[in-house]
Structures are given as C-alpha cells and as structure tokens.
C-alpha cells in the first residue's frame, strides 16, 4: 500500500506528464480540478494564478495542469487530497494513473537510529524500504558514498579515533526514482566515559518522536539598551532546525538555537517560543515572557533634572530635550461617515516641517480603532523622561463631551459613542506617566457634542504638571473646515500652522500667532477659531535643541523609531528569458508605500515586455486602479508630484496602503514579453517577499495564530531587509489658496 500522505511534489515526471495529457482540456480538466481543490482555502487559486495556468498553452511545452499541480505542491497539497478531488470530478482514468503511481512510490519503513557507542565496538545502522521491485541501497557518510555499502544494513567499525559524531544517511532508488532515509549520527566515546552508555539524561536517547529539546529558554527582565539572549537546544534525527517566535509570530532571521538581539527596545517585549523541527517531526519549546522596561536616568553629571523632566545643559536659561518625537494620524476614508480630503495633505505637510525640527515622526493614514490604539501604545514607548515627545496631531472626525475629546477611527459605526473612539485625555494621562518634558496635542477635528453618547468616561486624575499644551483647530461645540482647490484640500488649521511652525518661539506664542492669522480668513469668520489651552510655565519651543543623556538610551529609542521607517532594498529580478526587472520602493507615509517596476535589461530578440505586480495580499484591500500605472499621477494621490521627483522614468507605479494590517508583504512580478516575428505574448512569474516594511514592522494588528509551517520541499526564500540610503521624499507643498469651506462634520 502506498503512502498517500506524501506531497504532490513526490510524483515522478512520467506520472505528471500522463495527468497533464488527461486534464489539459476544457471539460473535466484542470479548471474543474482547481475549483474542487479550492474548497480548502489554502489551495484556492486566485484569478491571476488561473490566468497564468491558462496562458501555458502558448508555450512550446507548456501545460496548464502542470502549472496547477506546481501551485498545489507549493502549498503542501498531499496525494490523498489530490485523489479526493479527482474522485469528485468523476475522472476514473486520472484516479487510476495516480493510484498506480502511488503504489510505485518508495517508502522508508525502517529508519536508521542515532547511537552512542564505546570506542572499539561495532555499530549497525539499518534502513528498510518498500516499493517497486529492484530497490537499490547506497549509504553515505556526510556527502561521501561509503564504498561497498549497498545493503539495507551498514556495519561501522568504531576503532577509529574518538571525535565529532559522524552523520550517516541511506539513499534508496529504483531507476530514476529515489528517496533518502533520515540522518543518523554515531557518537564514539572512550571506554569509561560518562556518556559511554546512553541514558535518558544523556541527551542522546531520543524520544519515539525522534526530536527532543534538551535546553528550554528562560524568561528574563531587561531594560532598554540591554542585550536579549535566549537559547533552545535540541537533538533529533535528522538534525533539528529552529525558528523563534515572538507573540506567536516568526522572528525574521531567527533560525539558530540562540536568539540574540542587541540594544533592545520595548518593541521586543512579549512571549517567546521556539519551534524545533526536521523533515519528519516538530516540537515546541515552552513559552517564556521577556519584559523590557525603560532605562531610568539619574540626576548628576553635566546635566540636571528640571521640572517635568526637561533637561538643562550648558548656558543658563536654555532648555534641552533628550529627544523629540511626534505621532501624526489622519483619518479620511470612513466606512460609515463622510469622506474627508484634507488629512493626507495636512499630515504630510506637518510631518515634513517636524522633520526639519529634528522630530522623529510616525505618520499614519486611515486607522481602525485597534490600529489607532496600538499606534498610540507604540508612540508611548518612544517617550521617556525629558523627551519633548508629546506632539500628537490628529486630523479626522471627532467630538467633545463633558470636557473630553474623542478621536473617531475609520471603522466607527454610524451612531458611535466613546466606546468606539479614543479619548485624548486618556492618552495625556499615559504620556504624563512617561515623564515627558512637553506634551502637545494638536486636534484638527470638530468639537460638536455627540448626542448619541451620554457616558462620562472615567479617565482618572491627571497629574499637576506645567508642560501641557492643547491646540484645538476650533472652539467648543464648533466644526473644523477644509479648504479645497482642485484635487488638493488643506485643513484651515494646518494652512496657517505651517506658516509659523519653524519659528523659534515658545509654543504657546506660536499658536497665538496662528490664531491671529486664522482670524483674518473671511469665509470662516464666526465659524472656526483656534482655541489654545495651556499650563506651560517655561519658554519651551519646538526648536529647542536635543542633548541625549547617553548613547545606549538614545540608540535604543532610535531603533524603536527606525523600525517604522525601514524600506525594502531595491532589487533586480532576472528572468529566464534574459529580461532584468528592477523593483524599488518609496514611502509616502509610515503605512503607505510606493512600489515601482522598471525594465533595465532586454535581449535583442524581444521586441516588447512589461512587468506588473499581481497577487498582492488580500488584507490590504488594494484598489487595482492604483496599481501598475504608467505615471504617478494616475495613482490618485495628491502627493504624487512630490515623491515622484526621485523616481526614474519609464516605470509602472503601484500604491500600497494600510501596511499596518500586514504580517508580511509578498506579491508576484508578472513579466509578459513578445519575441520578434511572434504575435503572442509569453509570460514568466517570480514571487517576491519583502517582509514587513515601514509600520508593519511594529505589528499594529492584533496577534493571531502562527501560519502553518512551510514544507521543506517547497519553502520560499525569506524576504531580505535593509535600510535604503537617504531619507524619504517628504517636502512641504506650497500654501493652497482657498476657494470655499467644507466641514469635517462630526
């Protein structure tokens, strides 16, 4: 009886060719097989993949069935599942071909076992297999054939010197069909050695599962800037492989027994475990908690701790910050409320100006409630004593009840309450707990009363500090407005704020000047006026210089911030036809990325070719109208004229939004080309994985169960990571002249 649990990839070429003959037709053929196989979600093929299969008929020896079987094999489809699909199709002939092939599959029935033996004795390794007649055995030591070792049993003389374990494996073949046994290692010990007789505690007595963890990771508590070191050791046959997980998600590049992360930040906190596996077995380590807290500063040395955590250094009266960070959120595309236009332009303009003031800026568009909350949580991790970090800007729908302001996420229901929104005062309270030097809230939203919400939230008592500034775009019980001209819209608040933001003025004086300017606008007079609330007692300005207290603390904070700004490296894809395609990336916001494809090399016999992106992850809800466009302006982004200045010509552009929803970004580059003298196009595809770019690195989506492990026979190479040299294209646009107001209705 054959092994039906084996993957489709174990089928021989002759069997696959016979199945292709039977299924390459429009009736009970490969399309019906794809439909039935798609009943299980992981085997469902997209429309683009089905189109790719159908286009195989244009190739000289192309087969849609072979292409489909390859897709199923890459998703670890078993022979049993394939047979079930063929049976439901009623294709008896294909079922007979597959059943006959499985009977001829070589199956190892007795695997060689690892052993520890005393020096001078003989050891025997055994490998037995079933399959078609005429099975041939060949033993290997490492990669070298063992001369004359062509029987199921291998006898080893251990009179050789004691040393490292020798690894043995057996190949069983019948003609061109073959399979390998598990690896077995033989450890030779000197007589009298404590390990000369295997025991349960020796580490060499394997469990019946063939895989055993010898050393479990241990929980630890660290401070920012420390080095995280976890270790998981196992023994197995074949040798074990490792994959570390944090909060049940794989840690990129962590595939060794030891996990080490230098200069940790609070982003690395969480529950860690290690998956240990080989070709046949899998075990998990225990899950341990890693706690990482802020490194506390102590007074003394060349700086002193001032009121509220600001730092005085050097010249009298000069105030310094340990760092300056800002979180900018703009919500536009609401699911159940009026769409807004200005936040994209306002967030971009404000972010560009804050960069000039040496702020670390995270700018995000269109967040749901959970994403907003987790973005705020990550923002709070950047704050520490003395940081001029409390610059939180929000543009979108909002309201104010009982003195509390609420930011409305894009997924808020039509009749939302405080339960569906984020309370600004709660954020302030958490910021105070971080002992920041200056807390600034710039709220570009309506402050009308929400009649659907009569609950008074219990925020808790705020601390008495002299470092809080609230800049409201409008007065209590009033609306905030946008100014429109063509495709651009600016909020009135930011239109005037960006004129003064770079001035070396106390922040309250600066906002007073903004309020005076806003009062000169005739069309909103009596409708919208900036309101300033502050208890700031010292002359603190956004232009105050930065004096970090120590390199380790600054490096840890920089690492945390930098994670939200890592773009994938530009790369070149080489296709079999000789065409080379460049992939490059640019950031519009922390959660919006531009990908462009460009043909950089074409053989002379190819007259036309084009590279497009397909199979973009479904969770991004990508608008196909914003992909593979010949000009940046076609993407529908009002900022395209800004970032496109650094992009080369003759590209296809794609705009990818909502990166905070990603676990990883993988897509397909589809190359279509035509040879001289031919009318039909030929197609090639390459799968690309760029990991978690920009804000996706911070895991703002809720924790989910880990994805199923990949088959070792069809594992994809991991996406590479790296920081692109240079900074984002992020320059402020010119002031827009208003034509008329349209409100941010609450």
């Amino acid at each position: 009886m054959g092994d039906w649990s084996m993957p489709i990839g174990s089928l021989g070429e002759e069997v696959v060719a016979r199945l292709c003959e039977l299924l390459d037709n429009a009736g009970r053929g490969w399309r019906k097989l794809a439909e039935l196989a798609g009943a299980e979600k992981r085997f469902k093929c997209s429309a683009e993949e089905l189109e790719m299969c159908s286009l195989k008929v244009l190739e000289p020896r192309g087969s849609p069935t072979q292409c489909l079987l390859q897709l199923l094999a890459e998703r670890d489809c078993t022979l049993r599942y394939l047979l079930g699909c063929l049976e439901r199709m009623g294709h008896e002939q294909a079922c007979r071909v597959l059943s006959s092939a499985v009977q001829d599959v070589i199956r190892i029935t007795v695997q060689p076992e690892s052993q520890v033996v005393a020096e001078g004795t003989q050891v025997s390794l055994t490998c037995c297999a079933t399959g078609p007649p005429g099975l041939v055995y060949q033993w290997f030591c490492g990669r070298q054939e063992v001369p004359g070792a062509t029987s199921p049993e291998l006898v080893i003389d251990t009179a050789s010197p004691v040393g490292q374990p020798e690894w043995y494996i057996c190949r069983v073949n019948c003609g061109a069909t073959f399979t390998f046994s598990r690896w077995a290692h033989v450890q030779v010990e000197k007589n009298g050695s404590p390990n000369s007789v295997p025991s349960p505690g020796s580490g060499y007595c394997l469990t019946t599962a063939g895989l055993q963890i010898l050393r479990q990771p241990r929980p630890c508590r660290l401070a920012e800037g420390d080095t995280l070191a976890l270790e998981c050791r196992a023994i197995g046959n074949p040798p074990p492989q490792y994959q570390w997980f944090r909060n049940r998600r794989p840690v990129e590049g962590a595939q060794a027994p030891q996990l080490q992360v230098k200069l940790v930040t609070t982003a690395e906190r969480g529950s860690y475990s290690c998956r240990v596996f080989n070709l046949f077995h899998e075990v998990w380590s225990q899950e341990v908690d890693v706690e990482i807290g802020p490194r506390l500063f102590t007074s003394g040395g060349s700086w002193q701790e001032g009121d509220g955590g600001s730092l005085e250094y050097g010249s009298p009266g000069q105030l310094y910050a340990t760092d300056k960070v800002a979180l900018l959120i703009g919500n536009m595309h609401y699911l159940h409320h009026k769409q807004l236009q200005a936040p994209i332009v306002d967030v971009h303009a404000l972010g560009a100006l804050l960069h000039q003031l040496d702020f670390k800026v995270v700018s995000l568009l269109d967040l749901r409630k959970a994403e907003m909350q987790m973005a705020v949580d990550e923002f709070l991790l950047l704050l520490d004593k003395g940081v001029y970090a409390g610059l939180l800007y929000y543009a979108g729908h909002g309201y104010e009840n009982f003195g509390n302001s609420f930011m409305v996420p894009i997924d808020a229901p039509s009749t939302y309450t405080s339960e569906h929104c984020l309370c600004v005062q709660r954020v302030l309270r958490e910021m105070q707990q971080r002992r920041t030097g200056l807390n600034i809230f710039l709220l570009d939203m309506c402050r009308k009363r929400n009649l659907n919400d009569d609950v008074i939230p219990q925020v808790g008592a705020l601390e008495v500090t002299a470092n809080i500034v609230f800049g409201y775009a409008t007065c209590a019980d009033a609306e905030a407005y946008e100014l429109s001209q063509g495709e651009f819209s600016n909020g009135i608040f930011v239109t005037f704020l960006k004129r003064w933001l770079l001035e070396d003025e106390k922040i309250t004086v600066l906002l007073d000047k903004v309020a005076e300017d806003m009062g000169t606008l005739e069309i909103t007079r009596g409708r919208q006026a900036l309101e300033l609330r502050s208890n700031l007692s010292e002359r603190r300005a956004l232009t105050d210089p930065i004096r970090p207290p120590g390199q380790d603390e600054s490096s840890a904070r920089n690492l945390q911030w930098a994670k939200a700004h890592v773009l994938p490296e530009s790369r070149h894809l080489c296709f079999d036809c000789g065409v080379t395609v460049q992939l490059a990336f640019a950031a519009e916001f922390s959660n919006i990325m531009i990908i462009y494809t460009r043909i950089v090399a074409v053989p002379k016999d190819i007259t036309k070719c084009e590279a497009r992106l397909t199979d973009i992850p479904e969770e991004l809800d990508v608008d196909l109208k914003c992909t593979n466009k010949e000009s940046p302006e076609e993407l529908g982004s009002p900022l395209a004229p800004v970032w496109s200045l650094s992009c080369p010509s003759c590209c296809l552009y794609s705009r990818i939004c909502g990166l905070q929803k990603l676990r990883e970004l993988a897509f397909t580059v589809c190359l279509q080309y035509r040879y001289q003298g031919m009318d039909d196009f030929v197609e090639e595809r390459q799968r690309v994985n760029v990991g978690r770019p920009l804000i996706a690195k911070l895991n703002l989506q809720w924790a989910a169960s880990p994805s199923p492990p990949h088959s070792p026979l069809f594992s994809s190479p991991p996406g590479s990571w790296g920081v692109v040299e240079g900074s984002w294209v992020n320059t402020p646009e010119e002031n827009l002249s208003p034509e008329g107001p349209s409100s941010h209705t609450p």
Side-chain angles (χ1 to χ4, degrees):
M1 187 67 183
D3 186 359
W4 288 96
S5 63
M6 296 184 68
I8 291 179
S10 62
L11 291 174
E13 292 183 5
E14 294 181 1
V15 179
V16 173
R18 181 61 180 144
L19 290 174
C20 291
E21 291 177 9
L22 296 173
L23 299 174
D24 279 347
N25 61 73
R28 289 182 304 153
W30 66 273
R31 287 189 180 275
K32 185 64 175 177
L33 176 60
E35 177 186 343
L36 293 172
E40 187 168 333
K41 188 174 181 180
R42 65 189 177 113
F43 299 136
K44 185 175 180 61
C45 294
S46 66
E48 291 81 4
E49 289 171 330
L50 293 176
E51 182 182 3
M52 176 182 69
C53 293
S54 65
L55 291 175
K56 291 296 180 181
V57 298
L58 302 177
E59 300 179 11
R61 289 189 296 272
S63 165
T65 301
Q66 183 176 4
C67 182
L68 174 63
L69 292 177
Q70 183 178 354
L71 290 172
L72 295 176
E74 291 171 352
R75 298 167 188 182
D76 302 333
C77 183
T78 63
L79 296 173
R80 180 180 290 107
Y81 190 84
L82 176 61
L83 180 64
C85 294
L86 294 174
E87 289 174 343
R88 289 195 296 275
M89 289 173 59
H91 206 308
E92 296 181 1
Q93 193 172 3
C95 290
R96 286 197 298 270
V97 170
L98 183 61
S99 298
S100 175
V102 173
Q103 302 304 321
D104 293 337
V105 171
I106 301 172
R107 183 185 180 192
I108 305 292
T109 57
V110 178
Q111 296 281 0
E113 296 290 341
S114 298
Q115 300 182 42
V116 181
V117 297
E119 182 183 5
T121 62
Q122 286 188 337
V123 61
S124 174
L125 299 178
T126 303
C127 174
C128 296
T130 59
L135 294 180
V136 177
Y137 295 82
Q138 176 62 59
W139 287 89
F140 291 79
C141 179
R143 296 185 178 183
Q144 302 297 321
E145 288 187 5
V146 179
T150 56
S151 65
E153 184 179 22
L154 173 66
V155 178
I156 305 168
D157 185 0
T158 61
S160 57
V162 178
Q164 295 294 322
E166 295 285 357
W167 291 90
Y168 292 88
I169 194 171
C170 184
R171 183 188 67 202
V172 186
N173 72 285
C174 180
T177 304
F178 64 90
T179 189
F180 281 92
S181 72
R182 304 176 189 172
W183 284 96
H185 62 169
V186 177
Q187 175 73 48
V188 181
E189 300 285 351
K190 290 184 178 180
N191 290 320
S193 169
N195 290 332
S196 60
V197 180
S199 65
S202 67
Y204 292 104
C205 184
L206 295 182
T207 65
T208 56
L211 204 57
Q212 180 180 359
I213 293 180
L214 303 179
R215 179 176 297 175
Q216 295 278 2
R218 297 181 178 180
C220 57
R221 179 176 295 177
L222 305 171
E224 290 177 317
D226 290 345
T227 297
L228 169 63
L230 298 174
E231 184 175 11
C232 176
R233 292 285 180 180
I235 188 172
N237 180 25
Q241 301 179 55
Y242 301 84
Q243 175 61 62
W244 286 91
F245 284 74
R246 172 183 164 271
N247 295 336
R248 300 184 180 181
R249 294 178 188 160
V251 179
E252 294 174 24
Q255 297 166 334
Q258 287 185 326
L259 172 65
Q260 187 175 84
V261 181
K262 295 182 179 180
L263 287 174
V264 296
T265 71
T266 47
E268 275 79 35
R269 72 198 188 286
S271 297
Y272 286 78
S273 59
C274 186
R275 172 177 168 254
V276 185
F277 61 98
N278 55 26
L279 288 175
F280 306 98
H281 304 290
E282 172 187 273
V283 293
W284 286 79
S285 74
Q286 63 187 19
E287 195 170 52
V288 297
D289 291 330
V290 174
E291 299 179 14
I292 302 173
R295 184 177 296 278
L296 301 179
F297 306 146
T298 58
S299 58
S302 58
W303 57 270
Q304 299 175 355
E305 192 173 9
D307 181 32
S310 65
L311 302 181
E312 293 190 23
Y313 185 105
S315 61
Q318 175 63 64
L319 293 174
Y320 292 83
T322 61
D323 211 342
K324 298 190 286 191
V325 297
L327 173 64
L328 314 181
I329 298 176
N331 285 341
M332 304 168 53
H333 299 106
Y334 283 86
L335 303 181
H336 309 291
H337 301 279
K338 178 183 176 181
Q339 307 286 297
L340 303 177
Q341 303 297 324
I344 183 173
V345 179
D346 290 346
V347 169
H348 179 267
L350 193 56
L353 293 172
L354 290 173
H355 276 299
Q356 296 182 51
L357 295 172
D358 296 325
F359 271 79
K360 292 179 171 64
V361 179
V362 176
S363 55
L364 302 169
L365 291 187
D366 291 332
L367 300 184
R368 299 172 182 264
K369 183 190 176 184
E371 295 164 353
M372 285 184 70
Q373 183 60 63
M374 298 191 75
V376 170
D377 291 344
E378 292 293 337
F379 169 65
L380 292 170
L381 297 178
L382 289 171
L383 310 188
D384 218 322
K385 197 172 295 185
V387 173
Y388 277 42
L391 202 158
L392 174 61
Y393 171 79
Y394 170 74
H397 288 309
Y399 71 94
E400 184 173 306
N401 276 14
F402 309 108
N404 292 313
S405 301
F406 296 91
M407 301 178 288
V408 181
I410 64 168
D411 60 343
S414 55
T415 55
Y416 53 78
T417 66
S418 59
E419 179 185 356
H420 308 107
C421 306
L422 264 67
C423 178
V424 174
Q425 280 67 28
R426 279 205 175 98
V427 178
L428 170 60
R429 188 167 182 269
E430 293 174 344
M431 291 171 68
Q432 287 185 325
Q433 293 174 355
R434 301 293 289 181
R435 303 300 184 206
T436 51
L438 179 61
N439 298 316
I440 304 174
F441 292 85
L442 303 178
L443 303 178
D444 197 355
M445 66 184 198
C446 294
R447 296 174 67 193
K448 299 283 286 185
R449 173 79 184 276
N450 183 0
L451 300 178
N452 297 315
D453 187 7
D454 57 359
V455 177
I456 303 177
Q458 301 301 314
V459 177
L462 296 174
E463 298 182 22
V464 179
T465 59
N467 60 359
I468 301 173
V469 177
F470 274 91
Y472 295 96
T474 191
C475 299
D477 203 29
E479 294 179 333
Y481 292 88
E482 296 179 341
L483 301 175
S484 301
Q485 181 178 4
E487 297 180 357
F488 289 87
S489 293
N490 257 127
I492 291 178
F493 181 33
V494 172
T495 297
F496 293 97
L497 175 63
K498 62 186 182 182
R499 299 180 183 178
W500 293 98
L501 199 65
L502 299 181
E503 296 295 318
D504 184 16
E505 297 277 7
K506 183 179 177 181
I507 181 62
T508 51
V509 174
L510 185 150
L511 290 175
D512 277 334
K513 293 183 177 181
V514 176
E516 293 174 6
D517 273 6
M518 286 179 60
T520 64
L521 189 62
E522 187 67 33
I523 56 177
T524 57
R525 186 172 295 169
R527 300 186 187 182
Q528 178 177 352
L530 185 148
E531 182 175 329
L532 173 63
R533 294 183 184 178
S534 173
N535 63 4
L536 189 59
S537 61
E538 297 178 308
R539 187 197 181 280
R540 306 192 190 199
L542 300 181
T543 55
D544 288 341
I546 296 174
R547 290 286 176 86
Q551 184 174 359
D552 287 346
E553 293 82 0
S554 178
S555 297
R557 192 157 41 238
N558 287 340
L559 280 175
Q560 172 74 5
W561 174 81
K563 286 185 177 182
H565 297 80
V566 176
L567 279 166
E569 289 183 335
S570 176
R571 62 191 66 190
H572 289 79
L573 306 179
C574 298
F575 288 83
D576 293 340
C577 62
V579 172
T580 301
V581 176
Q582 181 190 13
L583 272 180
F585 309 86
E588 195 175 67
F589 293 94
S590 300
N591 64 337
I592 299 180
M593 184 171 69
I594 309 300
I595 305 176
Y596 59 88
T597 58
R598 182 167 67 122
I599 308 294
V600 294
V602 183
K604 294 181 179 179
D605 55 347
I606 292 180
T607 58
K608 185 177 181 180
C609 61
E610 187 176 70
R612 293 176 171 268
L613 301 189
T614 62
D615 304 333
I616 298 171
E618 294 180 358
E619 61 262 34
L620 292 181
D621 297 326
V622 173
D623 186 353
L624 296 180
K625 294 183 294 185
C626 296
T627 60
N628 302 304
K629 296 301 178 183
E630 294 183 355
S631 67
E633 290 73 20
E634 294 181 74
L635 296 179
S637 169
L639 303 179
V642 178
W643 56 257
S644 63
L645 296 176
S646 65
C647 296
S649 57
C650 302
C651 298
L652 290 183
Y653 300 90
S654 298
R655 187 170 183 257
I656 310 298
C657 305
L659 296 179
Q660 73 277 1
K661 304 174 185 177
L662 276 179
R663 293 185 184 175
E664 65 176 8
L665 178 57
F667 51 85
T668 301
V669 177
C670 177
L671 177 70
Q672 293 183 326
Y673 55 92
R674 184 169 60 193
Y675 287 102
Q676 291 180 354
M678 293 183 61
D679 295 329
D680 296 329
F681 280 88
V682 183
E683 182 177 284
E684 291 185 40
R685 290 179 172 236
Q686 283 197 34
R687 192 69 175 164
V688 178
N689 189 322
V690 297
R692 290 177 293 172
L694 302 177
I695 199 68
K697 191 73 171 173
L698 295 185
N699 299 318
L700 295 191
Q701 76 280 7
W702 292 108
S705 57
S707 302
H710 293 292
S711 164
L713 299 177
F714 298 97
S715 58
S716 301
S720 60
W721 276 86
V723 180
V724 174
E725 293 184 2
S727 59
W728 292 4
V729 179
N730 201 11
T731 57
E733 70 280 359
E734 295 296 322
N735 290 336
L736 304 177
S737 301
E739 286 185 350
S742 62
S743 69
H744 293 190
T745 54

